[in-house]
């Protein structure tokens, strides 16, 4: 991001002008160029990513990975984490030589600096929704990644050392998979939520992504909430719409917020992706007749930068019964 003036108002206006709902017809990258994980039996389809022609975000990425029956992707490594929410099928991972099994409804963590590969030993295809905060690593210069290969210029370097010596102490004791059926639904600030990854769940081995499921009963709505972090929703079941209110900054003796009088409306259906920009008010509504269930992800860095609050302007409707 660059600017010849101190203010970046025009940049924000261009960002907010982009379409915030992407359906299955939107494929920003099919993974055939410059992606190390694709194989003859595994393919990726990108839905949201930094660098998209229709620019949305530089904090969160979302794509789908399909592994055909009795297939696998290619093993590769990257410094950034990734979280895989399993939409269909079952299979397993190999991370740094360790096996981790998964099935539909699980959230699986690929940890920092992991060499990993996805396998599907079954007849049916497996499909995962993948979310990353990879651009954060890129901005920090953590770009040592690629397919397994021999050390370049070995004569310049000494013997192997254990890479994990500079990891946060205790990470090897953290879990790498969440079975969503074992996580309780609870009434959270946005509504009826099932938290899958959070800094408040320290036993999980993920530091960059927060994720939860949100369930809204038929004809009901989430809270109307205000938060600084941008976020991505994926509609797992049902449909409805979202309202989003822009928040303007008045810079006087301090920062003051002004919420737009009129919201923008975005209709939603199963398999749609909804983007919520930074510093917005949002509220989601389920259509009559069936509940709407969504998967949400955001970059946890915002919380470490001092934006660890969700301000509720209107409470959610009564919780659904599960």
């Amino acid at each position: 991001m660059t600017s010849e003036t101190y203010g970046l108002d025009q940049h924000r206006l261009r960002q907010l002008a982009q379409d915030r709902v992407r359906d299955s017809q939107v494929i920003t990258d099919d993974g055939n160029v410059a992606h190390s994980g694709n194989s003859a039996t595994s393919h990726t389809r990108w839905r949201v990513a930094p660098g998209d022609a229709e620019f949305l975000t530089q904090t969160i990425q979302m794509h789908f990975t399909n592994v055909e029956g009795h297939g696998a992707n290619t093993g590769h490594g990257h410094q950034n984490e990734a979280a895989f929410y399993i939409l269909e099928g079952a299979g397993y991972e190999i991370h740094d030589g360790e096996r981790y099994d998964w099935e539909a409804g699980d959230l699986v963590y690929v940890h920092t600096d992991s060499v990993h590969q996805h396998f599907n030993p079954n007849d049916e295809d497996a499909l995962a929704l993948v979310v990353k905060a990879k651009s954060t690593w890129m901005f920090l210069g953590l770009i040592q990644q690629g397919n397994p290969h021999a050390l370049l210029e070995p004569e310049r370097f000494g013997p192997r050392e254990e890479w994990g010596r500079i990891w946060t102490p205790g990470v090897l004791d953290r879990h790498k998979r969440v079975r969503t059926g074992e996580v309780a639904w609870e009434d959270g600030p946005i509504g009826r939520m099932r938290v899958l990854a959070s800094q408040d769940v320290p036993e999980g081995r993920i530091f960059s992504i927060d994720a939860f499921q949100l369930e809204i009963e038929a004809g009901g709505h989430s809270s109307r909430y205000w938060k600084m972090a941008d976020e991505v929703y994926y509609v797992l079941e049902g449909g409805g719409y979202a309202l989003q209110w822009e928040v303007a900054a008045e810079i006087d003796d301090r920062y003051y917020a002004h919420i737009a009088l009129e919201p923008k409306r975005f209709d939603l259906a199963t398999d749609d992706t909804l983007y919520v920009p930074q510093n917005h008010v949002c509220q989601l509504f389920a259509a009559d007749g069936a509940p709407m269930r969504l998967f949400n992800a955001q970059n946890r860095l915002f919380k470490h930068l001092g934006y660890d609050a969700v301000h509720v302007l209107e409470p959610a409707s009564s919780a659904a019964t599960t």
Side-chain angles (χ1 to χ4, degrees):
M1 181 184 295
T2 62
S3 176
E4 295 179 356
T5 62
Y6 193 57
L8 288 165
D9 291 343
Q10 293 303 311
H11 171 83
R12 180 169 170 83
L13 289 174
R14 288 194 299 271
Q15 179 191 19
L16 298 184
Q18 303 302 331
D19 189 2
R20 300 177 201 174
V21 177
R22 295 182 173 181
D23 60 19
S24 59
Q25 302 304 308
V26 177
I27 301 175
T28 61
D29 186 346
D30 62 7
N32 289 326
V33 179
H35 290 276
S36 60
N38 276 4
S39 72
T41 56
S42 179
H43 313 278
T44 57
R45 293 178 290 110
W46 287 80
R47 183 76 63 88
V48 176
D52 289 352
E54 295 183 358
F55 174 76
L56 287 178
T57 176
Q58 294 195 76
T59 70
I60 196 80
Q61 304 180 35
M62 177 178 287
H63 71 269
F64 300 90
T65 293
N66 181 81
V67 184
E68 297 176 9
H70 304 285
N73 74 337
T74 59
H76 59 282
H78 42 69
Q79 291 200 266
N80 62 277
E81 299 173 329
F84 287 70
Y85 182 79
I86 311 302
L87 296 170
E88 301 174 8
Y92 64 92
E93 306 280 299
I94 298 295
H95 295 177
D96 294 349
E98 297 289 331
R99 174 168 169 158
Y100 303 90
D101 290 89
W102 43 256
E103 61 185 15
D106 290 352
L107 185 67
V108 183
Y109 307 144
V110 174
H111 62 264
T112 302
D113 311 315
S114 170
V115 176
H116 53 282
Q117 190 171 8
H118 322 309
F119 294 86
N120 178 5
N122 306 297
D123 294 335
E124 301 80 12
D125 287 6
L127 179 65
L129 173 68
V130 186
V131 290
K132 306 176 183 178
K134 183 168 185 170
S135 54
T136 299
W137 271 262
M138 304 290 280
F139 291 147
L140 294 175
L142 303 178
I143 55 176
Q144 293 173 287
Q145 63 181 41
N147 300 99
H149 60 274
L151 180 68
L152 301 178
E153 300 180 278
E155 67 280 358
R156 293 182 51 229
F157 298 93
R160 283 180 172 177
E161 303 284 350
E162 178 53 52
W163 187 284
R165 290 175 178 172
I166 53 175
W167 285 340
T168 297
V171 294
L172 295 178
D173 297 325
R174 295 178 176 228
H175 66 68
K176 298 257 295 167
R177 180 190 63 189
V178 177
R179 291 199 179 278
T180 54
E182 299 174 356
V183 180
W185 288 96
E186 57 187 16
D187 292 331
I190 299 175
R192 185 171 175 79
M193 303 167 60
R194 185 152 61 181
V195 177
L196 306 179
S198 167
Q199 64 179 3
D200 299 324
V201 186
E203 62 270 21
R205 191 177 177 181
I206 193 161
F207 298 89
S208 63
I209 293 291
D210 284 345
F212 63 82
Q213 288 181 346
L214 176 68
E215 184 180 72
I216 305 171
E217 78 275 17
H221 58 79
S222 73
S223 67
R224 185 160 66 99
Y225 67 95
W226 172 28
K227 64 199 295 275
M228 186 60 68
D230 63 343
E231 54 191 337
V232 176
Y233 281 98
Y234 175 75
V235 183
L236 298 167
E237 300 175 20
Y241 65 95
L243 298 179
Q244 295 181 11
W245 291 259
E246 182 182 350
V247 179
E250 179 189 359
I251 303 176
D252 192 10
D253 59 315
R254 56 186 295 185
Y255 269 71
Y256 295 95
H258 295 263
I259 299 172
L261 297 177
E262 297 296 331
K264 292 183 178 180
R265 173 173 169 145
F266 303 94
D267 292 323
L268 299 171
T270 300
D271 194 38
D272 281 353
T273 298
L274 171 71
Y275 176 67
V276 184
Q278 293 91 345
N279 198 18
H280 265 62
V281 173
C282 183
Q283 190 168 26
L284 299 110
F285 297 79
D288 294 332
M292 182 167 61
R293 185 172 292 185
L294 308 99
F295 175 86
N296 174 286
Q298 75 164 67
N299 189 324
R300 192 181 297 174
L301 179 62
F302 286 89
K303 295 182 177 180
H304 297 303
L305 294 177
Y307 299 112
D308 194 12
V310 177
H311 180 65
V312 175
L313 299 163
E314 176 188 346
S317 56
S318 59
T321 300
T322 301

